[in-house]
Amino acid sequence: MSTRRDFLKNMSMAAAAGLLVGKAGSASAANSVSEMAPAPTASKIIGLQTYSLGKEFSGDIAAVLKKVKAIGYTDLELAGYNNGKIGQTDLMEFKKMAEAAGLKIVSSHVSYVNPAAKNFFDNVYTKDMIPGALEFWKKTADDHAKLGCTMLVQPMMPTIKSHEDAAVVCDVFNQVGDVVKAAGIPMGFGYHNHNMEFQRVVKPEDAEKAKSGNPFMKVGDQIYDLLLAGTDPSKLFFEMDVYWTVMGQNDPVEYMKKNPTRIKALHIKDRSVLGQSGMMNFEQIFKQMYANGIKHYFVELENMPDGRTQFVGCEESAKYLLKAPFVK
Ligand code: MG
């Protein structure tokens, strides 16, 4: 996870260039077309969070996108937006490349960092930063409306150590929701979780109980629940990362059952390639996803510990979904 954190930190804070688009000719995602699986005949809608391609999303982006399509993906959720560009590629140029590959840009991940934050891990939201935040999101939302995005999603949690911190974040998210909707992005603004949202914050009156109690005693409120309760359903939806929810010792199926109208998109993720760890019950997750009418999901892969490339991991994950009888 630190890799993703570092990545997004760079994207958001340092106006990083070149993380997604590397040196010319360095496209390593590419097996030759003849080496790859034939284009699937099954027509499943499968999204890919482009972060999953890692450093292989580089070089000849148009060619990489074509290969992404060839292994079975139909939709994209972008990472790496920075002031009118995706990595180093101009937005509209990127849109053309995606269209040429037959891929639909559905979503994009962008995080806002308080300019007064000392670093990304001390990103407390404050009331006085709201005007600047809304200005940032207006430009960001306008750009993504031009891309034809269906949704815009913040993937990283601002620092939340108290109920007060959570309340300010909810206030900011509600206001950003209005800005994103006003820009013409149909599903509006969403929030994506990791596992830290399942940590608990404790009110001062419960501090002693939290310190001295049985470690299994649940004192305080899970941050995820505070975000659900404190935001307006018409202004913020949730993109639940099912893997990080499990890593936060919670059940994504139960969350979907309890919040059928708030969770509107999913990250389908495993420890690495989908279906290989044995820790994720994707059959139940997909069953509940369809029961809730959730239409968008994106595969995410953060690492390949066995030395194979990220592209191969994305390919294996697509194969898993294409084969799975429970994926429509
Ligand atoms: Mg995720």
Side-chain angles (χ1 to χ4, degrees), residues 40-49 65-77 98-99 101-107 295-299 318 321-322 328:
T41 49
S43 58
K44 294 185 181 183
I45 306 289
I46 304 179
L48 179 69
Q49 162 53 251
L65 289 173
K66 283 181 185 157
K67 289 176 184 109
V68 165
K69 172 71 177 179
I71 58 174
Y73 291 98
T74 58
D75 292 358
L76 295 181
E77 179 179 71
E99 281 170 358
L103 291 163
K104 190 170 181 218
I105 301 171
V106 174
S107 176
K295 291 191 172 60
H296 301 288
Y297 69 88
F298 305 95
V299 170
L321 294 174
L322 288 167
K328 291 178 190 168

Side-chain angles (χ1 to χ4, degrees), residues 20 31 44 126 158 167 177 235 289 300:
L20 292 181
N31 305 322
K44 294 185 181 183
T126 53
K235 299 174 196 284
M289 182 184 95
E300 187 176 45

Side-chain angles (χ1 to χ4, degrees), residues 86-266:
I86 299 296
Q88 288 186 337
T89 309
D90 171 78
L91 275 185
M92 298 321 281
E93 193 56 35
F94 193 96
K95 183 175 158 71
K96 266 191 233 160
M97 290 178 191
E99 281 170 358
L103 291 163
K104 190 170 181 218
I105 301 171
V106 174
S107 176
S108 182
H109 272 194
V110 182
S111 280
Y112 183 77
V113 178
N114 184 347
K118 287 187 213 109
N119 58 58
F120 194 77
F121 306 106
D122 184 32
N123 182 27
V124 178
Y125 280 7
T126 53
K127 294 270 182 197
D128 60 353
M129 67 157 224
I130 291 178
L134 297 182
E135 202 178 309
F136 168 87
W137 282 110
K138 184 175 184 324
K139 155 90 175 132
T140 302
D142 286 345
D143 280 347
H144 284 85
K146 285 182 214 152
L147 275 182
C149 275
T150 307
M151 63 182 100
L152 187 55
V153 178
Q154 168 146 338
M156 298 301 288
M157 190 180 88
T159 304
I160 296 178
K161 290 182 177 163
S162 66
H163 287 76
E164 289 73 25
D165 287 347
V168 177
V169 170
C170 289
D171 184 15
V172 173
F173 283 177
N174 280 335
Q175 295 192 51
V176 175
D178 284 336
V179 169
V180 173
K181 278 263 172 74
I185 295 180
M187 275 177 62
F189 187 54
Y191 180 72
H192 160 279
N193 63 283
H194 291 88
N195 55 344
M196 64 278 262
E197 288 82 354
F198 300 96
Q199 289 171 351
R200 287 172 185 272
V201 290
V202 176
K203 289 185 174 160
E205 58 267 34
D206 294 326
E208 279 310 304
K209 213 196 301 177
K211 257 192 261 169
S212 60
N214 177 329
F216 295 103
M217 194 167 72
K218 292 172 177 171
V219 180
D221 295 302
Q222 289 193 153
I223 292 167
Y224 202 89
D225 298 333
L226 294 176
L227 297 178
L228 274 167
T231 51
D232 181 335
S234 72
K235 299 174 196 284
L236 185 79
F237 72 88
F238 289 77
E239 178 185 65
M240 176 161 263
D241 185 310
V242 296
Y243 170 81
W244 284 120
T245 302
V246 169
M247 291 300 282
Q249 300 182 33
N250 278 257
D251 178 357
V253 174
E254 196 182 315
Y255 260 99
M256 280 191 270
K257 281 183 182 164
K258 282 188 183 162
N259 301 281
T261 60
R262 301 301 305 277
I263 298 169
K264 293 186 177 173
L266 297 181

